[in-house]
Amino acid sequence: MVVRTFEEEMGYLEKTSEYSWRIKKGFQPNMKVEGVFYVNKNLERLLIEELRNSARPGSVGGFLPGVKQIANVAALPGIVGKSVGLPDIHSGYGFAIGNMAAFDVSDPKAVVSPGGVGFDINCGVRLLRTNLFEKDVQPVKDQLAQSMFDHIPVGVGSRGIIPMTARDLEEALEMGMDWSLREGYVWAEDKEHCEEYGRMLDADPSKVSMKAKKRGLPQLGTLGAGNHYAEIQVVDEIFNKSAASKMGIEAKGQVCIMIHSGSRGFGHQVATDALLAMEKAMKKHNIEVNDRQLACAPINQSEGQDYLKSMAAAANFAWVNRSSMTFLSRQAFAKQFNMSPDDLDMHVIYDVSHNVAKVEQHMVDGRPKTLLVHRKGSTRAFPPHHPSIPVDYQLTGQPVLIGGTMGTCSYVLTGTEVGMNETFGSTCHGAGRSLSRAKSRRNLDYQGVLDKMKEMGIAIRIASPKLVMEEAPESYKNVDDVVNTCDAVGISKKCIKLRPIAVIKG
């Protein structure tokens, strides 16, 4: 391993604009392409400080700094374009969270890496609108928060209340939201407003271990813990009235529901199983990587295909999971207001994935190419007129849902042509951590965080007290900085800002 001073490391980084930095080849060994990351001044300071700390003699830590992880990904076989770091980037397993990269499917050496998807496969966000306004909800905000908390199972050991047999699970893994539709848990149009229409067709439940299925069976329709949440939000600002109107958002104060969750223990086990298989595959195919957490296999070999099929099954699990919580949220609102979900206009605006690898068509050096795009802590953001987005959004571009942290605002952005050219149609996914969970627990006070939420007029229901500190806004980067950077670069554009009035967490 090459040991360099911080000043020597900085010699490989070049600021190319107010919001972008270039990572030159040579920063890490065997880089096949350059890296790029997008930050404003505040985010730049955090990322460079992380790099400075890692260069200090005797520094230790479980993860490499995000900038080095971007460069290590740039050394993977078959990568094209650049290894991209988005404004919410922070250290993760293998790939940094907020790192995306694309690999040429036609290249026999090109790889798929579970570290480029993450353990919570298809962790994502779903946004529902209502025809209610803040004035309708404020008088019953606490009762509504409690009703949501009662309806949606939350927390680490939570068990789903959606009836599931082993056969149901097999069918859900293969069918995704088509299973939810058949069983009556979603509306037909929900599927239309979901990435991939809520079903990855390559899913093959036979490629999933029995251990993963056992972990997943009791967890469908559960929120989980960590940074997952269900929030009641109100429209705080509209930046693009025309695009917002297409989404059914007409005015400030309109009430929405945001659900952020993924594939739970099922996806975690799929990733764990795959990483063990990938380590063997690397020896078999003579693949060397800069970081063993980037364990990978050729896309077109059996190990790569088996992972993609099991990953697709986990993605389908996550869509069924969010669909089940959509059903439970509609039930909670209907009960509170004594109206049907249809009368409350509880339509899905969109559902996006954050942790997934997908085969897509993109232009590379002026030519169309079939690529496997890894998005880890990164959101797809396709532009207007793209064939993969719903008819409703053909003129506006794909809605991009950016979840805030507990107590801070969330955003809806829209995809752009600039993003297609610069980041393979990708943008940020949230605020991105700035403090580790352990450091958050040491630095923050449980009651202090709760008092602050109360002062802000936010009702909160939470299953685990320690999560209050781990998920406090102080543990994260400023989501406004992240979103404004994406907007300034042009890889996605601001459409709607949402403010939380009730938070439900594990």
Side-chain angles (χ1 to χ4, degrees), residues 150 155 374:
D150 291 341
H374 293 61

Side-chain angles (χ1 to χ4, degrees), residues 120 122-127 222-231 233 257-264 318 321-322 325 351-355 401-405 410 429-431 437 471 476 504-506:
D120 192 0
N122 191 7
C123 180
V125 174
R126 176 173 295 202
L127 185 66
T222 64
L223 189 64
N227 62 349
H228 294 163
Y229 60 76
E231 283 188 359
Q233 304 174 338
I257 301 145
M258 183 174 276
I259 299 167
H260 175 211
S261 190
S263 50
R264 306 286 279 110
N321 194 34
R322 289 198 288 277
M325 286 185 281
D351 179 302
V352 294
S353 309
H354 291 158
N355 293 352
L401 311 176
I402 309 299
T405 61
S410 297
H429 86 304
R437 294 185 185 281
E471 297 302 318
Y476 285 82
I504 292 88
K505 290 187 75 73

